[in-house]
Amino acid sequence: MKKFRPKKRLEVSEYIEGVLKGDRVVLSRAITLVESNLASDKRLAKEIIQAILPHSGNSIRIGITGVPGVGKSTFIEAFGKLLIRLGHRVAILSIDPSSQRTKGSILGDKTRMEELANKPEAYIRPSASGDTLGGVANKTGEAMLLCEAAGFDVVLIETVGVGQSETAVHGMTDFFLLLMLSGAGDELQGIKKGIMEMADMIVINKADGDNVKKSDLARRQYENALHLFPPSESGWTPLATTASALKNIGIDQVWEKVEEFKKLVDHNGYFLKNRQEQQIQWMYNNIHEELKQLFYGTDQIADRLKTLEQDVVDARLSPVKAAEIIIESFKKSI
Ligand code: GDP
């Protein structure tokens, strides 16, 4: 069997210098390290992240979600091109839970955002893969820091609106954008109330052609729905607008609102406070992930768990007792 050999690594200093210079090849290689599960890569990645940390953070981080087909990639293409025209550099990362199970990820499709992908002011990286959403989210968070250190001042983090990943994206971004369609109920769009509640802005996409009137009606309905939620701690009043990503209508308005939001939260202190809280949460996420790996990565534990599973199935042990036994033996092993 062919043995897996990692590609030759650079020196830590080469990664750091390359990233800080905005070298895209080195940036990509640094992100590959962050995504790697090899212990040696992880050590290297941690050193790099620690070194670039003072150069990170200087961006506005925007989360973008919506069900498949709502027009996320079309929107990001139009939005990204607008931002570049305005002189920004845009990094696009994604959290795609499906990539944990299948090799081909929905968001990793290379044909998406083709024009944007060819621009030097844009950097697009498909979703990291991993066993757990928490692990994938941590990797995306580190990729985000690397992009910021490489000089990207707008980071878009995209996710498909079908599960828990929205919460992860919300937890690492400053502004949360929800794309919706007119003429389909919330249930139809698979958007849960909790996700709407996280939104700073709802954009009813595909407001073009015959769809304009319906989209405006939907906009008013969503705007009313947003008003029913308790006021956000940011002091920002979430709003709903219409847009056509395909026809490039209403896209500039989204950026205007993001800028308005940024001004408000800079002024009232929420921007910094939220970032600080997110950092703390991120530390705990890492602790949880490391602990899980430490525990489940131990061979004895894996073997013992199989026996315990059978004991639980056969009702020889209660699930609580079985958990206690394995945790006790883990504690003794460390
Ligand atoms: P994603 O799965 O959310 O990334 O959605 P895509 O961006 O791939 O778009 C799904 C389909 O909707 C594609 O055929 C797009 O051309 C179309 N689409 C996206 N935005 C618009 C829009 O504003 N208006 C119209 N009419 N179609 C759109």
Side-chain angles (χ1 to χ4, degrees):
M1 208 169 75
K2 209 173 141 202
K3 214 172 163 204
F4 170 73
R5 272 191 203 288
K7 201 171 154 192
K8 197 171 174 301
R9 301 303 185 211
L10 304 172
E11 293 296 319
V12 176
S13 59
E14 290 175 299
Y15 283 108
I16 298 167
E17 277 165 32
V19 168
L20 293 181
K21 262 199 328 220
D23 183 326
R24 305 162 68 89
V25 176
V26 179
L27 172 64
S28 291
R29 292 188 67 174
I31 296 179
T32 302
L33 275 189
V34 154
E35 291 175 349
S36 166
N37 288 323
L38 284 178
S40 56
D41 285 347
K42 281 186 176 181
R43 268 197 305 278
L44 211 53
K46 276 181 192 138
E47 259 187 82
I48 298 166
I49 295 292
Q50 185 61 34
I52 59 94
L53 195 64
H55 306 276
S56 68
N58 300 318
S59 80
I60 177 98
R61 303 165 177 172
I62 304 173
I64 299 179
T65 192
V67 292
V70 71
K72 288 182 298 302
S73 44
T74 314
F75 176 86
I76 290 171
E77 173 109 352
F79 194 54
K81 285 196 294 189
L82 165 76
L83 293 174
I84 289 172
R85 279 199 299 278
L86 294 172
H88 296 285
R89 297 186 69 209
V90 192
I92 294 120
L93 306 171
S94 48
I95 293 189
D96 175 5
S98 65
S99 68
Q100 293 165 37
R101 276 169 266 123
T102 56
K103 268 204 174 155
S105 96
I106 310 172
L107 301 180
D109 185 346
K110 284 234 168 65
T111 58
R112 300 173 84 240
M113 305 171 230
E114 220 162 346
E115 252 188 84
L116 198 59
N118 286 323
K119 294 205 182 284
E121 302 90 344
Y123 180 80
I124 303 179
R125 179 85 180 190
S127 185
S129 60
D131 299 332
T132 64
L133 174 61
V136 172
N138 283 339
K139 290 171 183 178
T140 306
E142 283 175 304
M144 172 173 80
L145 298 181
L146 289 166
C147 287
E148 289 174 344
F152 292 93
D153 66 331
V154 182
V155 181
L156 307 179
I157 303 190
E158 174 197 22
T159 185
V160 282
V162 287
Q164 284 297 306
S165 55
E166 294 82 359
T167 314
V169 172
H170 183 252
M172 62 170 79
T173 51
D174 309 307
F175 190 89
F176 196 69
L177 199 63
L178 172 60
L179 297 189
M180 301 280 264
L181 295 172
S182 67
D186 301 347
E187 299 89 328
L188 255 177
Q189 298 194 36
I191 295 292
K192 298 192 186 68
K193 185 168 157 276
I195 292 170
M196 260 182 73
E197 211 165 342
M198 291 190 290
D200 294 300
M201 185 167 183
I202 292 180
V203 176
I204 319 291
N205 191 35
K206 306 198 188 183
D208 45 45
D210 296 343
N211 227 356
V212 174
K213 257 201 184 138
K214 267 197 302 187
S215 302
D216 204 50
L217 181 68
R219 184 193 63 75
R220 269 177 278 151
Q221 285 170 344
Y222 282 122
E223 187 110 355
N224 288 338
L226 285 172
H227 284 141
L228 298 177
F229 293 132
S232 150
E233 206 197 327
S234 65
W236 174 254
T237 311
L239 75 157
T241 62
T242 57
S244 168
L246 199 63
K247 304 259 172 347
N248 209 353
I249 304 167
I251 307 299
D252 44 356
Q253 205 192 343
V254 177
W255 179 242
E256 275 167 32
K257 288 295 165 191
V258 173
E259 284 191 308
E260 222 177 275
F261 170 86
K262 178 77 167 59
K263 216 184 254 175
L264 174 84
V265 293
D266 269 344
H267 186 71
N268 69 15
Y270 177 79
F271 185 82
L272 188 63
K273 181 172 175 275
N274 186 45
R275 284 261 177 117
Q276 286 171 342
E277 282 172 5
Q278 287 180 344
Q279 289 294 94
I280 293 173
Q281 192 51 50
W282 192 1
M283 178 184 77
Y284 282 107
N285 290 349
N286 269 285
I287 294 174
H288 296 160
E289 287 307 313
E290 293 271 339
L291 279 178
K292 262 194 264 179
Q293 276 183 18
L294 195 66
F295 181 74
Y296 291 107
T298 315
D299 286 345
Q300 290 143 286
I301 295 289
D303 293 344
R304 194 79 200 272
L305 273 172
K306 277 199 203 97
T307 333
L308 284 173
E309 269 185 30
Q310 200 55 52
D311 288 338
V312 169
V313 168
D314 297 340
R316 275 191 296 276
L317 278 176
S318 81
V320 179
K321 188 70 196 163
E324 186 193 294
I325 291 170
I326 194 88
I327 295 288
E328 281 307 320
S329 71
F330 177 64
K331 281 202 285 199
K332 274 188 209 126
S333 75
I334 51 174

